[in-house]
Amino acid sequence: MEKSLVNDNPLLLPLNKQQTIYDGFITVQERDFRMRIVLPPDRQLKEAKLHCCWQLKHLLRGYEHIVKQRLQQSADLVGFILELKTVLEVVLKSHPECRSIPPPQYYSQLISEMETLGWDKLLFIDTEFRMLRLKAEDSAGRQHILTVKLKSKHPAEAPECSADLPVPLAINWTAQSTLEQLHSQFLLVLESLTEFWDVLDEIDSKTCILEPEKPCRSDTTRRIAIGNNVSIKVEVDPSHPKMLPECCLLGAEHVVTPLRNKLNANMHLCGCERCTPAGRASTLFLESVLTAVSPSL
């Protein structure tokens, strides 16, 4: 048993000749946990005492009864350690935050990439050096934030990226990719959405916005006040911001119905992409809508 125990757990060693006290570390998913097992003179596991480091105690919280059961049912110490490792693997998988500590090269790689990208781009980094917030500016001067969650095997594993965008953020990543390349891809995404944000910024500046109260860059809709207890909801397509937006009049039916009829009758007054400057169709359309319905308000 002694040979098998040492082979499977080379960092867990006996402290006396009787081999009733074992102290050291067990390794689970590349993490080492300090523990001590004290056996009675007859070496029966049922009466053994298990002492754990605080990290191990924290992980096994709520699983104490299972560990005690395994301790009483295991035939020998080798079997118990194997059972304990199995329990820990289950716990670690169910708690993503309990990840393995990255190797030293992870940190040196991260520092090297940040130096290339520029520390001025870094807005925030957590204490584990896993989550970063990078700032970016589009061609119109709008400020954006890219949140990056790195994996422990960075850059071999693709990071999780998110941002306040009206479309899914699709990033291409390989084992040779860097944060600088990631940031450059993000800038290209921002540039592809410039016309969309131009349209919404113009709508915000020229109309009375009811909803959302505090628009985000990911919002594609606006509810605009056009009269007493009457509003219009418009939705701009991020992929085709020059096209006429979808709209819906909101309010009491007896008020909205004549407005809708008048709007349909005056639809020919609304601008279209083919006859308006680039990016102006949506805003000209709204101006036409307000002109068409305002006499009745």
Side-chain angles (χ1 to χ4, degrees):
M1 181 192 75
E2 171 64 22
K3 184 177 181 181
S4 177
L5 182 64
V6 173
N7 288 338
D8 294 340
N9 307 278
L11 300 180
L12 186 65
L13 302 172
L15 297 186
N16 58 1
K17 292 182 179 180
Q18 295 77 22
Q19 297 182 357
T20 57
I21 303 177
Y22 286 81
D23 198 313
F25 298 85
I26 59 172
T27 303
V28 181
Q29 292 188 3
E30 300 181 354
R31 290 188 63 176
D32 295 328
F33 299 98
R34 179 73 181 272
M35 63 178 294
R36 172 178 286 205
I37 300 177
V38 181
L39 301 171
D42 60 3
R43 296 175 57 82
Q44 293 296 312
L45 285 176
K46 293 181 180 180
E47 302 299 326
K49 293 183 179 179
L50 179 63
H51 304 274
C52 306
C53 62
W54 69 268
Q55 294 100 329
L56 197 52
K57 285 183 179 179
H58 176 73
L59 285 174
L60 293 175
R61 189 172 299 163
Y63 293 84
E64 294 90 347
H65 64 290
I66 297 178
V67 174
K68 186 175 181 179
Q69 184 184 61
R70 299 294 190 272
L71 195 61
Q72 294 177 346
Q73 295 178 351
S74 298
D76 51 35
L77 188 56
V78 175
F80 170 69
I81 296 298
L82 181 60
E83 292 285 351
L84 180 60
K85 285 184 173 182
T86 301
V87 172
L88 282 172
E89 286 178 355
V90 173
V91 175
L92 288 171
K93 288 180 181 179
S94 62
H95 294 78
E97 69 276 10
C98 300
R99 298 165 293 196
S100 60
I101 300 175
Q105 55 266 32
Y106 167 91
Y107 300 98
S108 58
Q109 173 77 18
L110 177 57
I111 291 174
S112 175
E113 290 185 32
M114 280 308 307
E115 288 178 345
T116 302
L117 173 62
W119 290 101
D120 59 311
K121 303 290 193 308
L122 182 65
L123 291 175
F124 169 84
I125 186 168
D126 67 355
T127 55
E128 295 183 348
F129 291 84
R130 295 295 188 92
M131 186 179 75
L132 298 82
R133 291 196 183 100
L134 306 176
K135 68 177 182 179
E137 183 177 300
D138 62 27
S139 57
R142 287 178 285 254
Q143 298 297 317
H144 304 270
I145 297 176
L146 173 64
T147 299
V148 183
K149 294 182 179 179
L150 301 175
K151 304 293 180 63
S152 59
K153 294 182 180 180
H154 176 80
E157 291 182 297
E160 296 179 12
C161 302
S162 60
D164 189 20
L165 302 174
V167 295
L169 177 58
I171 295 295
N172 295 321
W173 186 271
T174 68
Q176 290 73 43
S177 296
T178 64
L179 291 177
E180 182 184 29
Q181 294 170 344
L182 179 66
H183 191 265
S184 296
Q185 289 187 55
F186 183 54
L187 289 176
L188 291 176
V189 173
L190 297 181
E191 209 56 35
S192 69
L193 294 166
T194 297
E195 288 185 341
F196 166 75
W197 286 316
D198 287 343
V199 168
L200 287 179
D201 285 349
E202 188 171 2
I203 292 174
D204 292 342
S205 65
K206 294 185 176 181
T207 62
C208 178
I209 304 298
L210 299 177
E211 293 178 353
E213 293 184 6
K214 296 181 179 179
C216 299
R217 290 301 177 189
S218 58
D219 291 324
T220 60
T221 62
R222 295 291 191 270
R223 187 163 74 89
I224 304 167
I226 58 175
N228 294 328
N229 302 317
V230 183
S231 61
I232 184 170
K233 182 179 180 181
V234 298
E235 181 168 2
V236 180
D237 185 351
S239 301
H240 305 283
K242 299 178 185 179
M243 294 178 62
L244 301 182
E246 293 185 13
C247 65
C248 177
L249 288 166
L250 303 173
E253 192 62 28
H254 70 280
V255 177
V256 169
T257 298
L259 293 180
R260 186 182 297 116
N261 294 336
K262 187 166 187 178
L263 175 60
N264 291 333
N266 289 280
M267 188 60 69
H268 64 282
L269 299 176
C270 301
C272 66
E273 183 179 3
R274 286 176 297 180
C275 60
T276 58
R280 288 282 294 154
S282 294
T283 48
L284 284 178
F285 171 73
L286 286 176
E287 292 171 6
S288 301
V289 168
L290 296 178
T291 299
V293 301
S294 58
S296 301
L297 298 179

